[in-house]
Every structure is written in C-alpha cells, then in structure tokens.
Amino acid sequence: MKKPYVYLTRQMPPAIVEKLEAECEVGMWEKEEQPVPKEILEKEIQTADAVFCTISDPIDKELINKAENLKIISTMAVGFNNIDVEAASKRNIQVAHTPGVLSETTADLTFALLMAAARRIPEGMEVIKNNEWGAWAPFFLTGQDIHHARLGIIGMGRIGEAVAKRGTGFDMDIVYHNRSRKSEAENEIGARYVEMDELLETSDFVCVMTPYTKETHHMINREAFQKMKNTAIFINSSRGGTVNEDALYDALKNGDIRGAGLDVFENEPISADHPLLSLPNVTALPHIGSASENTRWKMADMTANHILQGLRGEEPDHPVTL
Ligand code: DGY
C-alpha cells in the first residue's frame, strides 16, 4: 500500500525524519535556518497528506484550499496564529501544536529577559567591550530591583504561570489579568487577579504572555504605555503583534517607561536598523523563548507524533480546536 506523504517545511534531525519514514514518504525543505519559499510550499501542500510546519510558515486559507489530500497540519510551536484554523477545520483537516512541553523553558527565557532589562546586563557588556569601564562609581549602571517588586502578568496560561512561579523565588508581588480567573495560580502561587488598568498602573514589570489573535492585536497600545509607571519595564515573549511597536518606541524614548525586554517582534526577523534597536533601554532577542536543546527536541518529536496520529485517523494528543 502506498505510504502517505508528509512534507516538512524545515530540515529536521535524522531521528525525527526516520520516525516519520517508518510510516510515511517524507519530503523536506533541506534548510534549517530559512523558511521554505511560498511557491514550494504551495506546490507541496497540493499533494501532501500531512504538513510539519513552524511559526514562520503562513498557512492561510488560500493555501489550505489548494490541498487535496491534507489530513493534518502539525506545527512545532504552541502558538498557531500563522495557521487559518477555521479554514482547515472547514476542510476536515486537523491542526496540532505543542503546548506544555515548552512552558518552563520559555518562562526561563522570559525571566532572563526581565532580569537583563532590569539590571541593564546588555549595556554592562557593551561598556566592557567598548573599553568604557572606568573607576567604580556610586551610581554607575544602576538598574531596578527585581526582588519585592510587582510583577504584572497579562495572560495567565501555562507560560504565564511558570513565569509567576519564578517571581515567587524573588519575593515578588504577583498580579495578573486574564480572560478568566485562574484559581490554581491564585491558590498555589499567590498571584492576585486585578483589572487591566490596575495591572498597568501599578506593576514594576509588565509581562505580556497572551496568544496573538484578532482580539489581542496591538492590545498594548499608546494608551496602555501611558498608564504604566515611568519606572516600569515591559517584557514581551509571546507574539510581537500584541504590541504597537511605534507606541513602544515613543514610550521608551520619552521616558514614559524605563525599559523593555523583547523576544518577539511584529515582523520577524527584525531588521538591524529598526528604531527600537537604537535605544539603549531595549534588550532584544531573536525569538528564542523555547530554544533549549532539550525542549526543541521534545517539540520536534511531539510534532512528528501528531503527524503519525493524524495519518492513522486518530486525534492528535494536542489538537487545536476553534
Ligand atoms: C511557540 O511555540 O509558539 C514559540 O513562539 C516558538 O517556540
């Protein structure tokens, strides 16, 4: 019997490919660091039974409607804003993602970003590299305390909770805002639910952890930055589209907030001459929240398992539902 055909939009390690080859014909874009060109994906999706994709592959309605045999789209990510889930569901194509497995790793990075921005770690490194480290000076590179500060988390999902848990180790006062109350975060971590305005107005660290949807598009806008404390540090490790970057730039430039730690941007990769990168109070990273070796292996393995499940006619362990 003919094996089903799975197309991988990125080069994957042999162990992942072999796992799929046991049950499928495998086609793969042979580059690890460059997304597959649109026209190739368009051609492949027409015949594929399954697609293994990443966050940088826009799988829109137009593309989905070209697929004749597609049974499952499995993304190596928790976020699935690049996939038109509604269009897939109308065609009975399953969509799967990788929640849970990356929460702790992404929370580690989020906290690293928070600490780097608060204590001006990248600026310190620049000073040394530029040979500008002079005598010890009382107020040289003074930053912001993390311990006992208020951590405001917008979006208390799995990653938000893992960030909150880290905050407890620093005796932080943790507040959150979410569509629904999270009793586990309240009872076990001691996080306190507050309205959005209170979170923005009183937090020392404002941390965005929400998925990117039509509703969260630019939810952190000019008005939101104006509500924040002048000493606030803004952290985003979810999706760049949740923030109006022009408003963020102005807030940082005008001193409406003190700093920002950003792992995500509205257009990725961000270009080196992006205005945000010209500001000394921005700590920026290239979307590496879940990028520990262990976690990326687990994500790739989980994505492959979802493909096999979908092709066997089973529901994947982590389906995306509307
Ligand atoms: C995700 O999983 O959505 C991240 O942004 C990439 O790891």
Short mmCIF file of all heavy atoms in Angstrom, two decimals, residues 150 152 173 175-177 192-204 206 227-229:
data_model
loop_
_atom_site.label_atom_id
_atom_site.label_comp_id
_atom_site.label_asym_id
_atom_site.label_seq_id
_atom_site.Cartn_x
_atom_site.Cartn_y
_atom_site.Cartn_z
N ARG A 150 6.66 44.51 41.95
CA ARG A 150 5.40 43.92 41.49
C ARG A 150 5.52 43.45 40.04
O ARG A 150 5.88 44.21 39.15
CB ARG A 150 4.26 44.93 41.62
CG ARG A 150 2.95 44.36 41.07
CD ARG A 150 1.76 45.21 41.38
NE ARG A 150 1.40 45.12 42.78
CZ ARG A 150 0.34 45.71 43.32
NH1 ARG A 150 -0.46 46.45 42.56
NH2 ARG A 150 0.10 45.59 44.61
N GLY A 152 3.48 42.11 36.93
CA GLY A 152 2.13 42.06 36.36
C GLY A 152 2.13 41.19 35.12
O GLY A 152 2.85 41.48 34.16
N ASP A 173 5.63 40.58 44.24
CA ASP A 173 4.20 40.68 44.46
C ASP A 173 3.58 40.44 43.09
O ASP A 173 3.78 41.24 42.17
CB ASP A 173 3.92 42.10 44.99
CG ASP A 173 2.45 42.40 45.03
OD1 ASP A 173 1.65 41.45 45.16
OD2 ASP A 173 2.09 43.59 44.93
N VAL A 175 0.67 40.02 40.33
CA VAL A 175 -0.71 40.28 39.93
C VAL A 175 -0.87 39.80 38.49
O VAL A 175 0.11 39.70 37.75
CB VAL A 175 -1.08 41.78 40.06
CG1 VAL A 175 -1.03 42.23 41.49
CG2 VAL A 175 -0.19 42.67 39.19
N TYR A 176 -2.11 39.49 38.12
CA TYR A 176 -2.32 39.05 36.74
C TYR A 176 -3.66 39.52 36.22
O TYR A 176 -4.57 39.84 36.99
CB TYR A 176 -2.20 37.52 36.63
CG TYR A 176 -3.41 36.74 37.11
CD1 TYR A 176 -4.36 36.27 36.20
CD2 TYR A 176 -3.61 36.48 38.45
CE1 TYR A 176 -5.47 35.54 36.62
CE2 TYR A 176 -4.72 35.77 38.89
CZ TYR A 176 -5.64 35.30 37.98
OH TYR A 176 -6.74 34.60 38.40
N HIS A 177 -3.75 39.56 34.89
CA HIS A 177 -5.03 39.81 34.24
C HIS A 177 -5.20 38.76 33.16
O HIS A 177 -4.26 38.44 32.44
CB HIS A 177 -5.08 41.21 33.63
CG HIS A 177 -6.43 41.52 33.09
ND1 HIS A 177 -7.49 41.87 33.90
CD2 HIS A 177 -6.91 41.47 31.83
CE1 HIS A 177 -8.56 42.03 33.16
NE2 HIS A 177 -8.24 41.79 31.89
N ARG A 192 -2.50 37.48 42.31
CA ARG A 192 -3.76 38.16 42.59
C ARG A 192 -4.34 38.69 41.29
O ARG A 192 -3.63 39.33 40.51
CB ARG A 192 -3.45 39.34 43.53
CG ARG A 192 -4.58 39.77 44.43
CD ARG A 192 -4.02 40.49 45.66
NE ARG A 192 -3.00 41.47 45.35
CZ ARG A 192 -3.22 42.69 44.85
NH1 ARG A 192 -4.44 43.08 44.57
NH2 ARG A 192 -2.22 43.53 44.64
N TYR A 193 -5.62 38.41 41.07
CA TYR A 193 -6.27 38.89 39.85
C TYR A 193 -6.57 40.39 40.00
O TYR A 193 -7.10 40.81 41.03
CB TYR A 193 -7.59 38.14 39.60
CG TYR A 193 -8.34 38.66 38.42
CD1 TYR A 193 -8.06 38.19 37.14
CD2 TYR A 193 -9.30 39.65 38.57
CE1 TYR A 193 -8.74 38.69 36.04
CE2 TYR A 193 -9.98 40.16 37.48
CZ TYR A 193 -9.69 39.68 36.22
OH TYR A 193 -10.35 40.19 35.13
N VAL A 194 -6.22 41.18 38.99
CA VAL A 194 -6.58 42.60 39.00
C VAL A 194 -7.11 42.99 37.62
O VAL A 194 -6.87 42.30 36.63
CB VAL A 194 -5.36 43.52 39.35
CG1 VAL A 194 -4.90 43.34 40.79
CG2 VAL A 194 -4.20 43.31 38.38
N GLU A 195 -7.83 44.10 37.58
CA GLU A 195 -8.27 44.62 36.29
C GLU A 195 -7.05 45.10 35.52
O GLU A 195 -6.01 45.43 36.11
CB GLU A 195 -9.26 45.79 36.49
CG GLU A 195 -10.61 45.39 37.06
CD GLU A 195 -11.34 44.33 36.22
OE1 GLU A 195 -11.18 44.33 34.98
OE2 GLU A 195 -12.04 43.50 36.81
N MET A 196 -7.20 45.16 34.20
CA MET A 196 -6.07 45.53 33.32
C MET A 196 -5.47 46.88 33.73
O MET A 196 -4.25 47.03 33.81
CB MET A 196 -6.59 45.58 31.89
CG MET A 196 -5.53 45.82 30.88
SD MET A 196 -4.44 44.39 30.72
CE MET A 196 -3.88 44.63 29.06
N ASP A 197 -6.33 47.87 34.00
CA ASP A 197 -5.80 49.21 34.32
C ASP A 197 -4.94 49.17 35.58
O ASP A 197 -3.89 49.79 35.64
CB ASP A 197 -6.95 50.20 34.51
CG ASP A 197 -7.42 50.75 33.17
OD1 ASP A 197 -6.82 50.37 32.14
OD2 ASP A 197 -8.38 51.55 33.16
N GLU A 198 -5.43 48.43 36.59
CA GLU A 198 -4.65 48.36 37.84
C GLU A 198 -3.29 47.71 37.57
O GLU A 198 -2.26 48.15 38.09
CB GLU A 198 -5.42 47.60 38.92
CG GLU A 198 -4.64 47.61 40.24
CD GLU A 198 -5.35 46.92 41.39
OE1 GLU A 198 -6.57 46.67 41.31
OE2 GLU A 198 -4.64 46.62 42.38
N LEU A 199 -3.31 46.65 36.75
CA LEU A 199 -2.04 45.97 36.44
C LEU A 199 -1.07 46.95 35.76
O LEU A 199 0.09 47.08 36.14
CB LEU A 199 -2.32 44.77 35.54
CG LEU A 199 -1.10 43.88 35.25
CD1 LEU A 199 -1.54 42.42 35.09
CD2 LEU A 199 -0.32 44.31 34.03
N LEU A 200 -1.59 47.68 34.76
CA LEU A 200 -0.72 48.60 34.01
C LEU A 200 -0.22 49.73 34.91
O LEU A 200 0.95 50.12 34.84
CB LEU A 200 -1.48 49.19 32.82
CG LEU A 200 -1.91 48.20 31.73
CD1 LEU A 200 -2.81 48.89 30.70
CD2 LEU A 200 -0.71 47.58 31.03
N GLU A 201 -1.10 50.23 35.77
CA GLU A 201 -0.74 51.42 36.56
C GLU A 201 0.19 51.11 37.73
O GLU A 201 0.91 51.98 38.18
CB GLU A 201 -2.03 52.07 37.11
CG GLU A 201 -2.79 52.83 36.03
CD GLU A 201 -4.25 53.08 36.42
OE1 GLU A 201 -4.62 52.87 37.61
OE2 GLU A 201 -5.02 53.49 35.52
N THR A 202 0.18 49.85 38.21
CA THR A 202 0.92 49.59 39.45
C THR A 202 2.09 48.62 39.31
O THR A 202 2.87 48.47 40.25
CB THR A 202 -0.03 49.01 40.53
OG1 THR A 202 -0.50 47.74 40.08
CG2 THR A 202 -1.21 49.94 40.80
N SER A 203 2.24 47.98 38.15
CA SER A 203 3.29 46.95 38.06
C SER A 203 4.66 47.57 37.78
O SER A 203 4.79 48.53 37.01
CB SER A 203 2.97 45.95 36.95
OG SER A 203 1.79 45.25 37.28
N ASP A 204 5.67 46.96 38.38
CA ASP A 204 7.05 47.37 38.07
C ASP A 204 7.53 46.66 36.80
O ASP A 204 8.36 47.19 36.07
CB ASP A 204 7.97 47.01 39.24
CG ASP A 204 7.54 47.74 40.50
OD1 ASP A 204 7.53 48.98 40.46
OD2 ASP A 204 7.17 47.07 41.49
N VAL A 206 5.77 44.70 33.52
CA VAL A 206 4.53 44.34 32.81
C VAL A 206 4.93 43.31 31.76
O VAL A 206 5.71 43.59 30.84
CB VAL A 206 3.89 45.57 32.13
CG1 VAL A 206 2.68 45.14 31.30
CG2 VAL A 206 3.51 46.61 33.15
N LYS A 227 -0.37 54.52 30.77
CA LYS A 227 -0.86 54.15 32.11
C LYS A 227 0.27 53.57 32.98
O LYS A 227 0.18 53.54 34.19
CB LYS A 227 -1.98 53.11 31.99
CG LYS A 227 -3.26 53.73 31.49
CD LYS A 227 -4.38 52.73 31.40
CE LYS A 227 -5.61 53.45 30.86
NZ LYS A 227 -6.52 52.56 30.19
N MET A 228 1.30 53.04 32.33
CA MET A 228 2.36 52.37 33.10
C MET A 228 3.19 53.36 33.90
O MET A 228 3.28 54.54 33.55
CB MET A 228 3.29 51.59 32.15
CG MET A 228 2.61 50.41 31.49
SD MET A 228 3.78 49.53 30.39
CE MET A 228 2.63 48.69 29.30
N LYS A 229 3.85 52.85 34.96
CA LYS A 229 4.74 53.69 35.75
C LYS A 229 5.93 54.13 34.89
O LYS A 229 6.37 53.36 34.02
CB LYS A 229 5.28 52.87 36.94
CG LYS A 229 4.22 52.55 37.99
CD LYS A 229 4.69 51.43 38.87
CE LYS A 229 5.41 51.92 40.09
NZ LYS A 229 5.58 50.82 41.10
#
